[in-house]
Amino acid sequence: MIISVASGKGGTGKTTVAINLALSIDNVQFLDCDVEEPNAHIFLKPYIKEQKKGYIPVPEIDESRCNYCGKCREVCAYNAIAVIAPSDNNKKGSVLIFPHLCHGCGACSFFCPQKAIKEVNKEIGIIEIGDAEDIQFIHGKLNIGEAMSPPLIRQVKDYVNPTKTVIIDAPPGTSCPVVTSVKGSDFCVLVTEPTPFGLNDLILAVEVLKKLKIPFGVVINRADLGNNKTDEYCNKENIPVLMRISFKREIAMAYSKGEPIVKAFPEYKKDFQGLFNTIINGKFS
Ligand code: SF4
Ligand code: SF4
């Protein structure tokens, strides 16, 4: 089973929920797909056994074959190619590639009628594989200044081990990196906080999951702060509230020291086990 943990808004406690859930159940694989800012390793402290390079395939033009027809520019949805046809001023013509805009979709090489495009790997980050006690741990780290995180997220997800319960820590937000991370999940936990910003971004995240047809439920963090509008929204939309975590100073202090809640306060383990059981049994109330 693949359970992704996402949040519209950053800073709601998404990683806290993901790591404590992982530490409370057996036979787990943990994928940190927040490749722009991975931080689960701070809490899980994995022993890294292997490091691999992450790539995106970008086009390279063989100008001896190209006739500057412009088909590649036409099919590129991301404006990553410009074609300058031969003219009196530029007798030869040229094709310009903007690698930072390229999503590595492969459309240009597929549609090039002259077979003038080959794909070359551009390094965009690294993938690290290790163990955190009994948990198989994998995360990606996007190179600084690199804009294209989905290809690296896909490479992290290539490691999904179907014999384990896979917990995916998704990036915050509701754009491509989140969609890439949660796609294919059996269930998504949306972590939110009861504030106007939290609710606004929760609503956006709910819309994304509905479109992707992924079952989901909500965990309200710092549930005793803020207002009750999040509960009202979930009631109205029939969205299950799976768990509430109260704001506690000792939890915040453990977090600031890189200590998972269930390590600092083992009595919380049963709450995360309860969250897992609710998800696998589908008994939402
Ligand atoms: S589609 Fe192929 S032949 Fe046409 S401009 Fe692009 S690279 Fe050149
Ligand atoms: S691989 Fe896709 S995104 Fe990249 S240049 Fe070609 S068509 Fe554009």
Side-chain angles (χ1 to χ4, degrees):
M1 182 181 206
I2 303 177
I3 301 171
S4 51
V5 184
S7 66
K9 181 180 170 298
T12 58
K14 167 183 62 63
T15 300
T16 300
V17 170
I19 55 173
N20 284 287
L21 179 60
L23 287 165
S24 301
I25 58 177
D26 296 325
N27 195 27
V28 174
Q29 184 191 45
F30 191 99
L31 305 184
D32 189 349
C33 287
D34 189 359
V35 299
E36 288 179 52
E37 217 173 346
N39 63 351
H41 63 284
I42 296 169
F43 300 91
L44 292 174
K45 302 175 178 59
Y47 168 68
I48 300 297
K49 298 187 294 191
E50 205 183 337
Q51 223 181 37
K52 293 199 165 172
K53 288 180 177 162
Y55 296 103
I56 182 173
V58 296
E60 190 177 83
I61 311 294
D62 177 352
E63 300 238 1
S64 67
R65 285 172 169 254
C66 175
N67 62 5
Y68 309 102
C69 68
K71 188 74 190 168
C72 51
R73 179 198 51 214
E74 218 176 277
V75 298
C76 180
Y78 305 100
N79 298 320
I81 300 185
V83 178
I84 301 161
S87 66
D88 291 343
N89 293 336
N90 180 4
K91 290 218 164 20
K92 215 170 139 299
S94 46
V95 179
L96 303 174
I97 307 288
F98 305 103
H100 279 87
L101 297 179
C102 174
H103 282 55
C105 71
C108 52
S109 58
F110 183 82
F111 285 105
C112 171
Q114 296 296 113
K115 301 280 167 250
I117 301 179
K118 74 168 180 183
E119 290 179 337
V120 292
N121 279 334
K122 172 179 166 247
E123 199 182 316
I124 54 170
I126 56 164
I127 296 159
E128 293 184 319
I129 302 138
D131 293 313
E133 298 177 17
D134 294 337
I135 300 173
Q136 263 185 16
F137 179 91
I138 296 125
H139 70 178
K141 288 180 176 173
L142 194 69
N143 287 344
I144 290 169
E146 184 55 60
M148 227 42 78
S149 64
L152 189 61
I153 293 170
R154 279 194 285 275
Q155 282 161 65
V156 171
K157 287 181 74 181
D158 283 346
Y159 288 89
V160 162
N161 181 342
T163 67
K164 293 188 174 282
T165 299
V166 182
I167 309 281
I168 292 180
D169 188 8
T174 48
S175 58
C176 294
V178 179
V179 173
T180 308
S181 301
V182 303
K183 219 170 170 181
S185 301
D186 298 298
F187 193 88
C188 183
V189 176
L190 285 175
V191 184
T192 189
E193 59 183 21
T195 63
F197 288 128
L199 178 57
N200 180 71
D201 291 359
L202 173 68
I203 293 170
L204 297 175
V206 164
E207 292 309 313
V208 170
L209 291 174
K210 280 184 179 167
K211 283 219 161 57
L212 293 172
K213 298 189 182 1
I214 296 172
F216 61 93
V218 165
V219 168
I220 305 181
N221 193 19
R222 300 186 275 272
D224 43 350
L225 304 179
N227 56 38
N228 62 354
K229 297 251 185 275
T230 306
D231 275 293
E232 284 172 10
Y233 166 74
C234 290
N235 278 341
K236 187 168 136 272
E237 295 293 321
N238 223 5
I239 297 169
V241 175
L242 307 168
M243 186 182 182
R244 293 166 200 275
I245 305 171
S246 302
F247 175 76
K248 288 216 167 64
R249 188 182 161 82
E250 66 259 30
I251 292 181
M253 284 178 69
Y255 180 87
S256 70
K257 287 189 266 179
E259 250 183 297
I261 303 174
V262 298
K263 291 273 183 191
F265 309 102
E267 63 272 22
Y268 281 96
K269 212 169 191 175
K270 64 175 186 343
D271 296 327
F272 287 96
Q273 285 163 345
L275 170 63
F276 179 65
N277 289 333
T278 307
I279 293 169
I280 56 169
N281 295 323
K283 288 185 183 151
F284 311 125
S285 57

